[in-house]
Amino acid sequence: MLTAVATGVDEPLTLTEREVPEPGQGEVLVKITACGICYTDLDLLQGEWPIARFPVVPGHEITGVVAATGPGVSWPEVGVSVGAQFLGDSCRHCDYCVRGEQILCPQKRITGIVMDGGYAEYAVLKADFVTPLPAGLDPVAAAPLMCAGLTAFNSLRQAGATATSRVAVIGAGGVGALAVRYAVAMGARVAVIGRSRRGEAAAREMGAEQFIATQDADPAEALRAWDGGANVILNASPSTSAAAATLTGLAPDGTLVLCGYGPEPLTLPTQPMVLNRLHAMINPSGSPHDARDTLAFSAAHGILPESTPIGLRDANGVLDAMAKGQSGKRSVITFG
Ligand SMILES: [Zn+2]
Ligand SMILES: [Zn+2]
């Protein structure tokens, strides 16, 4: 099978032919249909994952079809369409695992970082950690839902967004656009924060009732003027400081959740935080039940990300462009 392997930090992916692996106990062999290219894959190659086990096959936005099952697997059967995500395995017996919060397991293992992922024609995955694809969901369009979608959906959920919330989203491309559409579909009122007014028409089309351009207005002040502030602010921009600058735009008990952040530390003013019981969090992807809910919600509301299909041989070029900050639509590797 054609495979792209990350051999070490600052090394391009090596394209190579490998034997199709055999699934072991509790594992399934998945013939991959599509695998999205996530910023985490770039981080891996740039050395920002000290837990990485090189050589490793990157990729954790996987959709495909079960081609074989290992011993002890009663589900999924051969022929079932599944997705696979960032969380690839966990211990199954710690307090978090037994509560269905496997993403918090201290022994969790990450697909495409310490276990081989989806930059290959086949992958061996843990049967308990794949997600059934809802009928009618296009497997190529759905691939980015397994990380970008899951992270956006679950960040809103973990930050407490409900139908009565005011949700502000900083940066409405990619993950941010998904967050806006999820929040609107949940019934929340939505504001989009951008640098200029360039994204306003698109934001309003997605259902945002407010658009705040940071070149014209202080975003925290503008949010406070929005019926007392946002209950949730979701940062989908790559800037930690842009997120921090909006903190005082939160309503009391509000939560700032960072889907995007840079390498700099998150610096927040403590006085408004203590006076208003404000929260700040970063949500890592999600547990298996979160992935199921993301796919079900996305299918029910017709929320699919825009993406560009590419071949596996184009992956290095896409990662180079991402490293240079040339962000376009999400690239999805497809296997014909
Ligand atoms: Zn555990
Ligand atoms: Zn990811």
Side-chain angles (χ1 to χ4, degrees):
M1 62 174 190
L2 187 62
T3 308
V5 183
T7 55
V9 173
D10 291 333
E11 297 291 337
L13 300 172
T14 304
L15 268 95
T16 177
E17 288 287 338
R18 274 190 179 180
E19 291 287 316
V20 175
E22 296 224 346
Q25 182 78 29
E27 294 176 336
V28 291
L29 175 71
V30 172
K31 185 173 195 310
I32 296 177
T33 308
C35 182
I37 296 189
C38 176
Y39 274 88
T40 301
D41 307 347
L42 180 62
D43 292 344
L44 167 75
L45 297 173
Q46 292 182 335
E48 283 166 45
W49 284 90
I51 62 165
R53 283 200 202 146
F54 296 110
V56 68
V57 179
H60 57 238
E61 286 190 340
I62 301 168
T63 56
V65 177
V66 176
T69 57
V73 175
S74 54
W75 185 92
E77 291 162 10
V78 170
V80 171
S81 293
V82 295
Q85 57 126 323
F86 178 82
L87 178 66
D89 197 8
S90 73
C91 83
R92 296 144 210 257
H93 55 73
C94 73
D95 286 350
Y96 304 100
C97 284
V98 298
R99 288 177 191 151
E101 286 289 8
Q102 294 92 335
I103 190 65
L104 302 180
C105 175
Q107 311 290 333
K108 65 177 169 272
R109 297 174 70 217
I110 310 304
T111 315
I113 304 281
V114 303
M115 309 163 63
D116 283 345
Y119 285 28
E121 289 177 271
Y122 289 87
V124 162
L125 301 161
K126 300 290 177 190
D128 294 351
F129 286 82
V130 298
T131 308
L133 284 190
L137 202 58
D138 175 66
V140 175
L145 295 178
M146 295 309 301
C147 186
L150 170 58
T151 303
F153 182 80
N154 200 33
S155 291
L156 289 170
R157 182 145 83 172
Q158 297 303 331
T162 70
T164 57
S165 300
R166 289 178 300 280
V167 174
V169 176
I170 309 170
V175 170
L178 286 169
V180 169
R181 294 168 70 194
Y182 287 138
V184 168
M186 285 172 189
R189 296 168 62 193
V190 175
V192 168
I193 300 171
R195 236 172 301 174
S196 72
R197 296 240 154 235
R198 209 158 49 98
E200 178 166 3
R204 299 228 184 247
E205 207 166 297
M206 289 188 282
E209 68 166 62
Q210 296 273 338
F211 187 91
I212 299 160
T214 55
Q215 67 180 28
D216 304 335
D218 172 57
E221 213 172 286
L223 287 176
R224 284 196 301 274
W226 187 33
D227 290 351
N231 305 104
V232 173
I233 300 174
L234 184 150
N235 180 47
S237 86
S239 167
T240 309
S241 55
T246 63
L247 180 89
T248 55
L250 283 171
D253 212 21
T255 299
L256 170 66
V257 57
L258 281 78
C259 281
Y261 47 87
E264 72 274 25
L266 176 62
T267 306
L268 296 171
T270 50
Q271 196 65 20
M273 287 192 83
V274 66
L275 282 172
N276 300 296
R277 198 170 69 192
L278 303 181
H279 315 261
M281 69 186 293
I282 300 183
N283 164 64
S285 179
S287 297
H289 74 273
D290 299 310
R292 288 192 180 210
D293 289 350
T294 299
L295 293 187
F297 192 86
S298 302
H301 295 276
I303 298 172
L304 286 169
E306 288 189 46
S307 61
T308 306
I310 64 159
L312 185 58
R313 293 178 194 283
D314 303 323
N316 272 323
V318 168
L319 287 158
D320 283 346
M322 286 162 69
K324 290 179 188 135
Q326 297 161 1
S327 57
K329 281 187 251 175
R330 205 155 186 100
S331 294
V332 175
I333 301 164
T334 59
F335 299 90

